[in-house]
Every structure is written in C-alpha cells, then in structure tokens.
Amino acid sequence: QRHRGHRGSTEMQIRTPPIRTICGLILIVSAVVLIPRASSQYPFQNPDLPTEQRIDNILSLMTIDEKIECLDTTPSVPRLGIKGSGHVEGIHGLTQGGPGKWGRPQTVPSTTFPQGIGLGETWDPEILRQAGEVEGYEARYVFHSPKYNQGGIVIRSPNADIGRDPRWGRNEECYGEDAYFNGAMVVAFSKGLQGNDPKYWQSAALMKHFLANSNENDRDKSSSNFDERLFHEYYSLPFRMGVVEGGSRAYMAAYNAVNGVPMTINPVMQKITREQWGQDGIICTDAGAMKNLVTAHKYYPDFETAAAESVKAGIGQFLDDYRESVRGALKRGLLTEADIDRALRGNFRVMIRLGLLDPPSRVPYSSIGKESVDPWTTEKHKALALLATQKSIVLLKNVANLLPLDKKSLKSIAVIGPRSNEVLLDWYSGTPPYSISPLEGIKTAVGESVRVTHAVNNDAGAAVKAARESDVAIVCVGNHPNGGFDTQWARVSVPSEGREAVDRQSITLEQEELIKAVFEANPKTIVVLISSFPYAINWTQENVPAILHMALNSQEEGRALATVLFGDYNPAGRLVQTWPKSLEQLPPMMDYDIRHGRTYMYFRDTPLYPFGYGLSYTSFAYRDLRISTQADTIEVSVVVKNTGQRAGDEVVQLYVRHVNSSVPRPLKELKAFTRIHLAPQEEKAVRLSLPTSRLAHWNADTDRWVIEKDQIEITLGGSSTDARLKKTIQVR
C-alpha cells in the first residue's frame, strides 16, 4: 500500500513487462508478504505487546464454544494455533506413572523425593527450591521431548494446606502444622518449579487446596469453621506467602466449605486472593467439585446454577464434566460471555508466562527436551534425591549412643519389618527410575563381611529368631501410603492408616507388637519408623534405645537410611508436627479453632515429641544473643558451636511470645529458622532477620494488619521446647 501511495507520473514512464513476468512477480511478492503473515497473523502472537492486550485479542477472536472448551484444564485454541498446557501432579516429584497411573499415554520415570511431610522435615528451604527446580525441569523435558511429548508444565504443587491434626488422611502432602514454616517451604518449592528467569516460567506452581482442607471424611460437604483472624494469620498464610513471595499464580479450590460457604464459589477467592494478594492466574476446582455444590453441599438446586456461580466467583478451570452445565447457564441468562472472558484471562496469563504463545527462541526453557540423556538418569538428580532424603531423617532417640553403628565391630544384623524391603509409592507419586529399600541399602553398606538376615514379620517366630541370632536388630515399620490397597480407592487396612478420602481413626501403631517381640529377643533394637504421620509410639519411646523417623516414597530411601545408621551422614531432620501421646490430647477432628489446644502454639499438655524436635550424633552450644532493630526489621544474631566430635547440622529456631498484646496470642510462634553445618568444635555467628510485619495480627474491625507497641520475648534453640537463650525487647 505504501508503494501505491507514491506512484504518479513516474510509474507511467515504466515499460510494461510481459504478462509472464508479471505473474512471476506476483508469486514472489505473495511469498514475501504471506510467509510473515502466516507466522504473525494476529496481534496476540507478538511477544512484545503487553500481556493484557494480547489476551484482549485472543478473547476477541474466540467463539463461545472455544471459550467453553478453554474452561478445561488445557486452554488450547487449535484454530488460532494456541496450544496450552494441562496439569500434572507433583507433590514430591513429577508424576507420569505410579499407583495413580498418571502417565498418558505412557509411564515415564521421574526423580522421586520423600513425601511432602519428609521434605518439610529437612527444615531446609534451599533443598526444597532445588527439588522444585528438578521437578519443573523434568516436567518441561517430558512435555517438549519428541520421545515422550506428554504431561504438562502446570504442576499441582506445592500443597499449602496445614497439617493441624495428625489424623488427617493427606498429612503426607503438607509441610507441617505451622503456618509460617509451611509458607517458607511453599515459597521455596514454588520458586524452584518456576525458575529464575525474569519473564518466563519453567513450570507453573499450582498450590493445593485453598482453603482449610485438612479432613478427608465428608470433605465434599463439610465446613471448616473459624474466625477472621485465623483465616488471615493461620489458614491462608502459606497461600498468601506462595503468591506474594513465591510468585505462584495458580491454585486449586478445596472441596470443603469455610464457615458454611463452599470454597468452589467462596467470594474470598476474588476479594482476597485476586484483589489483595495479586493472584491473577489460574483458579481451578478440585475433581468433581462443581457438581458437589448440588449433590453434596446441596448449596444450589442444579448444575447450571452451580457452574455459573463458580465462574463468577473466579473459577477459570473445571476438573469436572462442566460443558453442558455452562451452556445451559448461558441459555438461562445465569452466565454471560463476559463472565467467561474474565475467568479465562488468568488461564492465558499463565500460558503466556510459560512462553507457550511465544517463539521458542525467546523462551530460555524451550530448549529443555532436546537432550539425549533423560534427566532422571543423571548423577545430579540422583544426588539431590539422596541429599534431600538424608536431610529429612529425624533422630528421635539414641540412648548410650547406640547409633551410629560401627560396621567394623558388627558380625550380624537382623533387618525386620513390613517396611524393610520395599519402597512404597503413594497416590501422587510418579514412577522412580530405581528404588533402594532399607534392606538393600544396609546390605550394600556393610558388604560381605557382615551377615544380614531378614524377616518381614514374626510368623513362625521368624523375626524373633533373626533378632536373637544377630548383634543388632533394625525394625522398619510404618504406614502404607495407600492404606494397604494400591488399586482400591478410599480403603485402609487398619485404623491407624489414612489416605485421600479416609482420615485415621487411631494414632496407635499396630506394628508396635512386633517391636516388643524383637526388643525382648535383642535389647540392641533400632526402630525406623517410615511413615506419613505421627504415631503415639509411647512404649517404643520408653523402652527401645534408638528411634529414627523418615517419610515414605524416596527412591533413595534405603541408601539414605544406611548412611545415617552407619554414621556416614549425621541426621539433623526436625519434626514439623506435635506428636501427641494419645488421641485424648487432641481436640475433636472437625474443630478448626486451633486455639482449643491444637498445634505447638496452643498445646498445653506434654507431647510425645514437640514441634521442631530432632537429635544429632553431636551436640551444640548457644551463646552471645544479640538483638538490634533496623527500620522495619529485627536483626537477631547468636553464636552456635559444635561441641562434639562429629560434623553435623543444627537447625536454629527463633520463637516469639507476645508479652503485652491487646489481643490473645499463641503461647509461642516460630518466626525464623535456618539450618547450618558445623565441623567438630567449629562455631558460627548465625544471623536471623525478623521483619516486624511477621509480628502483626489481623484486626477484623478495620480489615488490616496491625503491629502493636508491645514487648516480645525472643527465644532461640533447637526445637519449640529447647529454650537455649531468651531476651525480651520492645517493639516500636
């Protein structure tokens, strides 16, 4: 067109070429013009345009049927060349296989870390960041690689729910009972999944399950009831940290209601997460949750109303059979196309941040998948799985330094118990490239010079015989992550088992009878509790000289355990929940007001093990506590010394107690922590920063956070009950 505008008399002087030449020129010009237009036909394809303009253009080009299709978990518009990403599970490693058979069309291995509760027990956000980075990388690899070309890069992880009660059937997925601690781990894992590029994400962190979802029985119709302060200060805090600090822009709404309003249509999704936190991405339902509004919650009379109200509340993706309900809602005027447009914007924002609408040359993560070596086979990924598992192991008891074992002085070991020769996978696990059981790890560690006998149970006296004939007995017990039924949903074998859809009815370990029999045969008994939950192992704690805890599922389970048993690794994991002595120490399961004696913050009885607890093969001393206030931050420093003869890690934990608060406060609250490594006799000055914003409480009358003029007592130590140093200071 520019040429046409500048023709005139000059053009008249040009000699007219033969018709054949004109046809040839037309073909050449057409090629020059049409090729660029084919690759950049629409404004949304221009990566330099602002994101909101690109989305405006996408929505203007879509038909209503295409928009309805994009309310699914894969927002794709084939006619426009838009190929979005679907979801994959990933609580502790990419899932493209496992008991849940998540891989489609084929099972693909992936690096498998300890369960979420085990990752929490590392008390090491950096390890979680690295684990998230590995998982996000492997998701990209499987998604892009021509060898696999499946899965997705929107990952349903981390789980930001809080493990307020050890009976919760999905306890294994969370990071513990403390809101701030969980938030710190959620932030770290989210950052790892999404990567550190300033514009694009490696994968998208979709947090689960917003909000206050920590009961399985009747979860599709139950209501979690608590006041506004607990909403802001406890239940929503890990999600808020995940959005504001971790950069997550996706989450799944929970099945349950909060204060009688189902989360699938709860207005806090829009008013709090969107408007206050800045969550502008994906909000999806849980599986079947839209229909539950009618069938279970009985909140709406029909599916069309339920679908309409879900979209208007902020739901942009349904894990449900929603299409006819949405079409019916449109016909009835319950829903408008503009409502759908608003809900879809978040889906496309995430796809753009993943780089799926941009040229691959622009996206640094687009080259993942071109490697000739599968990443889960690399030493880097294997080594991280081992390190994360080692860091997660908690030493609960060690009388007379029975541990670590001296391989040189041992001639025989009995390895006993139902968890001794297997690595169990939970419902949200992938398929590890390999797995090492405790028995295999122990055998490899001791070699041919030590006789290792094995007994799964005490049938025909096998366990007792093995223990009696050995120098030491190692008993591996714990729950089955799928309740003992890998292929049957919502079933468990014994009352202390729990899983998705089933809460535990007991916290008593049925296998403690096996421990008693083995201990009677050999007092040098070591119990390895491999479990997703706390157990009231009162007899074991009172009688058995050495106890370790580790979570299930890691591909390096056996090797990591062996390094701890034989002293190649000094354990420093810490518990992330209060372990009660009995159910009598707990409030009723459906009491969501944690002030009624729940968690270390309000627990007034003596627990079996306190929050933050864990031992070491060495010892640590604290001295020289110093506190200064700089602007809006309280700076705390303390000198920590390894006073023993072994190198080891200490987890320095900072707790706060409000002395003169005008509102009720917890007995104590974790506000900062760090894990440090010290050589024998080495000492380090440890510095912890405490932003004064962490001291605020929510004022429901003014709808804002308030930092009071208050005195606070700061306590430093190795657990919630290990008060090494204290100091009271004035705030403001």
Side-chain angles (χ1 to χ4, degrees):
Q1 292 179 352
R2 184 170 62 249
H3 287 266
R4 286 195 192 121
H6 289 276
R7 283 181 182 177
S9 60
T10 307
E11 187 179 46
M12 298 296 293
Q13 299 172 13
I14 299 175
R15 188 186 224 173
T16 304
I19 191 67
R20 236 177 348 199
T21 307
I22 292 173
C23 292
L25 286 169
I26 290 172
L27 287 173
I28 293 169
V29 170
S30 297
V32 170
V33 172
L34 291 180
I35 288 175
R37 288 186 64 194
S39 60
S40 298
Q41 190 173 358
Y42 306 110
F44 78 81
Q45 294 169 317
N46 180 357
D48 295 321
L49 278 181
T51 296
E52 298 310 306
Q53 288 185 28
R54 299 177 74 183
I55 295 172
D56 288 341
N57 181 239
I58 292 170
L59 294 172
S60 73
L61 296 167
M62 292 172 68
T63 67
I64 188 62
D65 285 337
E66 288 170 333
K67 291 176 180 180
I68 292 171
E69 284 301 311
C70 282
L71 290 171
D72 198 357
T73 55
T74 305
S76 297
V77 190
R79 180 178 62 86
L80 300 177
I82 297 173
K83 180 184 177 183
S85 167
H87 298 188
V88 291
E89 299 289 349
I91 295 297
H92 52 91
L94 173 66
T95 55
Q96 287 295 285
K101 297 180 172 58
W102 299 103
R104 299 288 187 278
Q106 61 179 314
T107 294
V108 181
S110 56
T111 303
T112 304
F113 298 97
Q115 293 173 312
I117 201 72
L119 289 172
E121 287 180 340
T122 67
W123 283 68
D124 190 339
E126 176 56 21
I127 280 292
L128 267 79
R129 188 198 64 76
Q130 292 179 35
E133 185 176 47
V134 160
E135 181 177 321
Y137 188 98
E138 292 186 1
R140 270 275 179 182
Y141 179 86
V142 173
F143 188 64
H144 285 321
S145 170
K147 183 164 45 171
Y148 303 113
N149 194 26
Q150 66 181 54
I153 49 177
V154 176
I155 301 180
R156 294 175 189 161
S157 182
N159 191 319
D161 293 319
I162 304 178
R164 66 180 178 96
D165 192 300
R167 289 169 288 192
W168 180 32
R170 296 179 78 169
N171 193 78
E172 67 202 31
E173 296 181 34
C174 78
Y175 296 130
E177 72 183 21
D178 182 79
Y180 164 70
F181 177 85
N182 281 25
M185 296 308 201
V186 164
V187 168
F189 203 84
S190 298
K191 286 184 174 180
L193 287 174
Q194 298 192 171
N196 57 11
D197 186 81
K199 182 173 182 179
Y200 295 106
W201 291 342
Q202 177 176 247
S203 63
L206 188 150
M207 298 181 290
K208 300 197 295 188
H209 309 79
F210 187 79
L211 178 78
N213 181 128
S214 56
N215 65 277
E216 293 303 298
N217 297 349
D218 296 326
R219 63 182 180 166
D220 59 344
K221 58 188 176 185
S222 64
S223 181
S224 307
N225 301 328
F226 46 87
D227 62 30
E228 196 171 335
R229 278 193 64 195
L230 285 178
F231 173 90
H232 288 281
E233 296 174 19
Y234 187 68
Y235 289 107
S236 73
L237 180 60
F239 290 92
R240 177 166 64 88
M241 291 175 67
V243 173
V244 176
E245 299 177 33
S248 169
R249 292 294 183 270
Y251 68 78
M252 177 183 290
Y255 284 121
N256 56 281
V258 168
N259 297 330
V261 182
M263 284 309 306
T264 306
I265 50 89
N266 201 299
V268 300
M269 293 192 298
Q270 181 66 34
K271 293 180 180 178
I272 304 296
T273 73
R274 294 271 201 221
E275 296 175 12
Q276 293 185 17
W277 300 351
Q279 206 288 46
D280 63 353
I282 293 170
I283 303 178
C284 69
T285 71
D286 207 333
M290 182 271 287
K291 291 193 172 181
N292 284 349
L293 294 171
V294 177
T295 60
H297 283 291
K298 302 189 185 305
Y299 205 78
Y300 294 119
D302 54 69
F303 296 144
E304 292 170 352
T305 305
E309 294 304 314
S310 297
V311 171
K312 289 190 283 189
I315 295 295
Q317 294 189 347
F318 288 94
L319 278 70
D320 215 327
D321 183 11
Y322 69 91
R323 289 171 178 80
E324 290 309 308
S325 300
V326 169
R327 290 191 177 95
L330 286 166
K331 288 178 183 177
R332 290 173 58 187
L334 301 173
L335 189 66
T336 67
E337 186 172 355
D339 293 327
I340 296 176
D341 286 354
R342 280 191 293 272
L344 289 179
R345 296 190 77 89
N347 299 350
F348 289 118
R349 288 187 191 109
V350 171
M351 298 305 114
I352 288 171
R353 287 169 182 154
L354 289 168
L356 296 179
L357 276 66
D358 291 359
S361 60
R362 292 264 192 138
V363 184
Y365 302 113
S366 64
S367 61
I368 298 173
K370 297 178 180 178
E371 310 93 306
S372 59
V373 177
D374 292 336
W376 47 85
T377 66
T378 65
E379 289 306 312
K380 176 184 175 182
H381 288 203
K382 293 177 185 178
L384 186 63
L386 174 60
L387 181 59
T389 312
Q390 290 171 321
K391 282 179 172 273
S392 74
I393 297 175
V394 186
L395 179 62
L396 297 175
K397 186 179 180 182
N398 192 24
V399 172
N401 295 322
L402 177 57
L403 290 174
L405 298 172
D406 182 4
K407 286 182 278 191
K408 296 178 181 178
S409 66
L410 289 173
K411 294 182 179 179
S412 57
I413 300 173
V415 181
I416 296 165
R419 302 288 90 89
S420 61
N421 195 28
E422 58 188 5
V423 175
L424 294 173
L425 305 179
D426 62 44
W427 191 253
Y428 291 105
S429 172
T431 298
Y434 62 89
S435 61
I436 302 168
S437 72
L439 178 63
E440 293 168 327
I442 291 166
K443 280 186 171 181
T444 300
V446 298
E448 300 294 329
S449 60
V450 179
R451 178 173 58 87
V452 179
T453 56
H454 178 239
V456 174
N457 51 45
N458 200 31
D459 290 354
V464 167
K465 182 176 185 295
R468 186 177 293 125
E469 295 176 352
S470 300
D471 294 336
V472 64
I474 300 170
V475 187
C476 300
V477 292
N479 68 291
H480 190 297
N482 298 315
F485 295 93
D486 269 343
T487 59
Q488 297 183 51
W489 184 251
R491 288 194 64 190
V492 294
S493 56
V494 293
S496 72
E497 295 280 18
R499 61 180 301 182
E500 183 169 2
V502 183
D503 287 319
R504 306 166 75 199
Q505 301 304 305
S506 167
I507 60 172
T508 300
L509 181 67
E510 291 86 355
Q511 298 151 6
E512 205 164 29
E513 292 304 313
L514 174 63
I515 297 171
K516 291 177 182 179
V518 171
F519 177 74
E520 186 176 345
N522 189 335
K524 287 189 175 182
T525 292
I526 299 160
V527 170
V528 183
L529 179 58
I530 307 173
S531 74
S532 313
F533 314 105
Y535 277 93
I537 50 171
N538 299 303
W539 186 93
T540 301
Q541 170 60 26
E542 185 177 346
N543 294 278
V544 174
I547 309 170
L548 293 163
H549 177 258
M550 65 188 302
L552 294 148
N553 234 150
S554 168
Q555 66 190 42
E556 288 283 353
E557 182 180 301
R559 184 168 12 222
L561 174 61
T563 63
V564 168
L565 289 171
F566 299 109
D568 299 310
Y569 188 87
N570 188 347
R574 299 290 187 268
L575 297 181
V576 292
Q577 291 174 293
T578 302
W579 286 39
K581 292 180 179 178
S582 69
L583 287 179
E584 285 66 37
Q585 291 185 321
L586 296 173
M589 181 66 179
M590 288 306 298
D591 186 351
Y592 270 78
D593 188 339
I594 64 170
R595 302 183 191 96
H596 297 159
R598 203 182 289 287
T599 80
Y600 77 95
M601 293 188 291
Y602 295 99
F603 198 85
R604 293 186 180 274
D605 209 339
T606 302
L608 179 63
Y609 305 116
F611 174 84
Y613 174 78
L615 303 175
S616 172
Y617 294 155
T618 188
S619 55
F620 300 93
Y622 288 62
R623 67 172 177 83
D624 200 14
L625 172 60
R626 297 183 181 184
I627 302 174
S628 63
T629 302
Q630 301 176 6
D632 295 327
T633 303
I634 299 169
E635 299 291 346
V636 179
S637 68
V638 63
V639 176
V640 181
K641 182 177 181 179
N642 181 346
T643 56
Q645 300 305 309
R646 286 180 177 270
D649 291 3
E650 172 69 335
V651 179
V652 181
Q653 302 169 39
L654 186 157
Y655 294 86
V656 164
R657 181 177 70 87
H658 291 264
V659 178
N660 297 315
S661 179
S662 64
V663 296
R665 294 293 191 112
L667 300 173
K668 64 187 72 169
E669 299 173 84
L670 180 74
K671 292 300 180 184
F673 64 93
T674 187
R675 180 166 174 157
I676 61 169
H677 181 79
L678 294 171
Q681 302 302 308
E682 182 186 6
E683 64 180 24
K684 283 183 181 177
V686 178
R687 291 175 175 81
L688 296 168
S689 292
L690 173 58
T692 54
S693 59
R694 286 187 202 156
L695 303 175
H697 72 270
W698 181 261
N699 187 315
D701 294 329
T702 60
D703 287 332
R704 64 187 182 92
W705 292 98
V706 175
I707 303 171
E708 295 184 292
K709 291 182 179 180
D710 185 16
Q711 283 187 322
I712 60 168
E713 180 185 75
I714 293 177
T715 301
L716 286 169
S719 82
S720 60
T721 58
D722 179 34
R724 301 292 186 93
L725 297 172
K726 291 183 181 181
K727 192 170 186 178
T728 301
I729 66 167
Q730 184 70 38
V731 179
R732 289 195 170 181

